[in-house]
Structures are given as structure tokens and as C-alpha cells.
Amino acid sequence: MHFLLVLHEHPVGVTVGPGSRVVYDLVADTAHFGGATVAGPALSWELVSGADVVDEPAGAALVAAVELDDAQQWLMRCDRVDFPPGAIACRHTHPGPGIRRLLFGELTITTGGGATTYRAGGAWFESGPEPVHAESSATEESAFVRVMLLPAEWAGRRTIRYTDPAYADRPARQRARVFLEEPLA
């Protein structure tokens, strides 16, 4: 099925109704699924049926078209990944697509033959199956928050899969903290 995953930034707060959406409170470092109110700066991700969209959603910070196999169940996960200075996430994939937004620091993402450096406020889309290599700033801590769409069998499981099995044996310096996982209706 065709969907759009949409990231919005809300500098002065937001109230949203129920639906397939995540609201992340930038000050409290918490996430909510469905309807929520955040009084201060917030981010929100919404999954919108592609059939319902005529124009790109107004005010969106990033919009990504995604395909979800309707023969399987899906979930929406929100987590945060923190990197110490100089950390590297070696070439890897994930089982589903998602949008990331850098909270602070600097992260260089190499994928599809090109490299892009993101700074605080930068957002990017990862398809899931396309390999990605990430390097954090050599001098400062970095962190991003993301919302991924995952097949339901990935609930509660770590999603990073290294393209070279030797990388899996190295201790990961980055740390992921899951805020929520909710099934999609």
C-alpha cells in the first residue's frame, strides 16, 4: 500500500487528534502515540494513506513516500539514538523505512554513493534496505530521534543489521532508547 510518512516541526507546541502519528516533546524527551498535546517545542510524524493526498502536506519539514506490504502487520516505533564523539555505525540496514531528525551534534550519513552531513535540526529519510554508514562528530555528542515503520515481528527487537557480519561483533558505541512501539491499524 502507498503511504506518506510526514515529519512536522512545532516550535511553540502542538495538539493533534488520534491517528497513526507520533508526537515527540523536545524538552521532556518523551513520545506519545495518537492524540497528544505538547505545550513547548515538538516534532510529529504522521502516516498518511497515499490515496488521501493530493498535494504535499502543508508545512511539512520532510515527506517520504513509503510502500508497506498489506499482507503483513506493521508497527510504528519511535526511538532516540545517542552517539559519543567519534562513534561510527558501520554499514548497516533496517527492516523498514523511517525519518530521522538530528537533535544536537553532527552526523555524516553515507548511502547510495553519497555523503551528507547533518547538523541540529537536519532531517533525513532512510528506506531500510539501502545500506547506511553513519559517523558522529569527532568533538561533540550527537543524537537523533526517529520514527520507523517495521514489520510487527520486529517488536521489541534491535533492528540494525550490519552488512559485514564482522561489524556485529564490535561493541556499539551508539545507544538506542525506544520510547514506544504501536501497531498500525
Side-chain angles (χ1 to χ4, degrees):
M1 295 182 65
H2 307 289
F3 291 93
L4 294 179
L5 183 57
V6 183
L7 170 64
H8 288 276
E9 298 200 14
H10 309 279
V12 294
V14 66
T15 296
V16 296
S20 295
R21 66 174 47 94
V22 172
V23 178
Y24 176 76
D25 184 324
L26 285 158
V27 175
D29 190 34
T30 57
H32 313 275
F33 183 79
T37 297
V38 173
L43 304 170
S44 66
W45 290 257
E46 181 178 15
L47 186 63
V48 180
S49 171
D52 296 338
V53 176
V54 177
D55 296 315
E56 187 168 301
L62 185 60
V63 178
V66 295
E67 291 287 326
L68 301 181
D69 180 356
D70 59 354
Q72 63 182 335
Q73 298 294 313
W74 290 85
L75 62 88
M76 193 176 242
R77 175 187 291 177
C78 178
D79 64 357
R80 174 177 159 162
V81 180
D82 287 80
F83 292 80
I88 295 173
C90 295
R91 193 172 153 93
H92 65 278
T93 63
H94 293 280
I99 292 178
R100 287 96 168 124
R101 201 268 201 176
L102 196 65
L103 298 171
F104 55 85
E106 182 178 283
L107 202 59
T108 299
I109 304 296
T110 304
T111 187
T116 304
T117 298
Y118 296 94
R119 290 174 181 76
W124 67 99
F125 172 76
E126 292 182 14
S127 69
E130 184 173 6
V132 173
H133 175 91
E135 292 187 39
S136 69
S137 164
T139 59
E140 61 185 332
E141 293 182 356
S142 304
F144 65 81
V145 63
R146 68 181 165 196
V147 167
M148 290 192 295
L149 306 170
L150 300 170
E153 67 263 20
W154 287 89
R157 295 172 52 197
R158 191 168 181 231
T159 63
I160 193 168
R161 295 291 173 255
Y162 294 103
T163 58
D164 181 340
Y167 296 147
D169 295 334
R170 295 181 181 176
R173 294 185 58 210
Q174 70 273 20
R175 297 286 176 248
R177 179 171 34 121
V178 175
F179 292 110
L180 60 85
E181 289 183 329
E182 294 290 337
L184 295 175

